[in-house]
Amino acid sequence: MTVTILCVEDEAAIQQLMDLALRRAGFDVALAADVTQARAAIASRRPDLILLDWMLPQVSGLEFARQLKQDGETRDVPIIMVTACGEESDKIRGLDSGADDYVTKPFSPRELVARINAVLRRAAPHAAEEVMEVQGLRLDASSHRITAGGDELNMGPTEFRLLHFFMSHAERVYSRGQLLDRVWGGDVYVEERTVDVHIRRLRKALSLHGHDRFIQTVRGAGYRFSTQG
Ligand code: CA
C-alpha cells in the first residue's frame, strides 16, 4: 500500500526538497502552496500524513492544523508542523493545535523521513485495531467492552473514548486542550477542567486491578498513558 504525504509549503525550493526526499523514500507526494490548494488536495485524495509549514500566506499552518483537527473527516490524519522558528513555546503551540510532531528548518531529508515514519507508526497500526491489550487491561472497540484481569469494567462513554485514545497513543503527553480536540471533538465548547473530571472517573474505573497507574499526570503539560514509571 502506498502512503501519500501532502506537503503544504509555499517556498518552492523547500517544497522541491521535500518532494524529492519523500519520493526517494517511497512515498506518494501531493504538493500544495497554500491552504486553498491543500483543501483541494485533501478533497481529491485523503493523505496519510500532512507535512504542514507554519508560515503560509493567508491562513497560517497553525490555524489550518486546528481546523483539520476539528473536522471529523481529517481529525485522524497525522500532522507534522514544519517551521523556521525553533522556540520551545512555538513547539508547544504547534502541538497544542493538534500537530503530532514538529520539524525545524533546516532539516535533513533523512531526519524528515525518520520523523514521518515514526508518526505513521504511532498513528496507523492502532487506528484500525479493534482490540488492544496492555498488561491485563483489554479494550474491545467493536463491542465497547473493557476488561481488567477478565473482570468487566464499567465506565461512561467519555471515559471509554478517553481510554481508547490513550491506549492508541500510548507514551505521549497530551495537554488538556489536545485531549478536548481529539477526544471530545472541536465542535463542542467544553472547559479544560472537564478533562480532569473525566480523568478522575477513568482512574476510578481502572483502579479495580491497579490499571489507574497507567493514566499519569505530567505536571505543567497534561496527561499520558504509560505502562512505565
Ligand atoms: Ca512558508
Side-chain angles (χ1 to χ4, degrees):
M1 196 188 77
T2 320
V3 174
T4 306
I5 312 287
L6 170 63
C7 294
V8 191
E9 167 64 75
D10 60 317
E11 281 163 81
I14 297 176
Q15 200 189 60
Q16 252 171 22
L17 185 88
M18 287 174 167
D19 188 26
L20 194 69
L22 298 181
R23 284 184 193 281
R24 267 197 193 138
F27 296 116
D28 261 5
V29 184
L31 299 172
D34 56 39
V35 167
T36 308
Q37 286 181 13
R39 287 201 179 282
I42 292 167
S44 79
R45 186 176 175 184
R46 190 175 182 273
D48 297 288
L49 183 144
I50 300 171
L51 211 50
L52 181 57
D53 184 32
W54 183 303
M55 302 296 274
L56 290 169
Q58 291 135 20
V59 182
S60 78
L62 197 67
E63 176 53 31
F64 188 46
R66 241 184 261 283
Q67 292 171 5
L68 290 169
K69 290 299 177 185
Q70 284 175 3
D71 184 340
E73 292 286 306
T74 51
R75 183 180 297 158
D76 295 328
V77 179
I79 297 173
I80 298 181
M81 292 290 299
V82 182
T83 182
C85 33
E87 300 268 331
E88 192 64 16
S89 61
D90 288 335
K91 182 172 177 170
I92 289 164
R93 276 171 65 209
L95 294 176
D96 249 350
S97 73
D100 296 82
D101 203 357
Y102 193 92
V103 174
T104 308
K105 293 176 194 172
F107 48 81
S108 73
R110 182 178 290 179
E111 182 194 358
L112 187 67
V113 170
R115 290 292 185 99
I116 288 173
N117 281 329
V119 169
L120 286 173
R121 261 198 309 276
R122 276 206 306 260
H126 299 294
E129 260 175 50
E130 290 289 284
V131 178
M132 291 179 276
E133 184 158 9
V134 184
Q135 296 182 21
L137 179 65
R138 187 174 189 273
L139 183 147
D140 186 334
S142 58
S143 65
H144 260 241
R145 272 222 174 108
I146 296 166
T147 54
D151 296 320
E152 187 155 353
L153 301 182
N154 288 313
M155 62 181 74
T158 303
E159 285 71 50
F160 180 89
R161 283 206 309 277
L162 197 52
L163 182 61
H164 190 226
F165 177 78
F166 273 138
M167 289 179 81
S168 317
H169 300 82
E171 309 300 336
R172 257 207 66 183
V173 182
Y174 290 91
S175 69
R176 289 167 179 81
Q178 284 177 308
L179 289 172
L180 284 177
D181 282 348
R182 307 283 292 267
V183 179
W184 275 257
D187 39 46
V188 275
Y189 180 77
V190 188
E191 283 184 61
E192 292 205 343
R193 62 167 179 255
T194 304
V195 174
D196 302 332
V197 173
H198 289 280
I199 290 277
R200 250 194 324 270
R201 288 186 194 158
L202 177 59
R203 280 181 174 144
K204 196 165 172 233
L206 292 176
S207 64
L208 184 66
H209 288 279
H211 293 109
D212 52 316
R213 70 180 184 276
F214 294 162
I215 311 292
Q216 299 172 358
T217 304
V218 182
R219 276 190 73 173
Y223 295 103
R224 166 178 65 205
F225 182 94
S226 174
T227 53
Q228 293 144 37

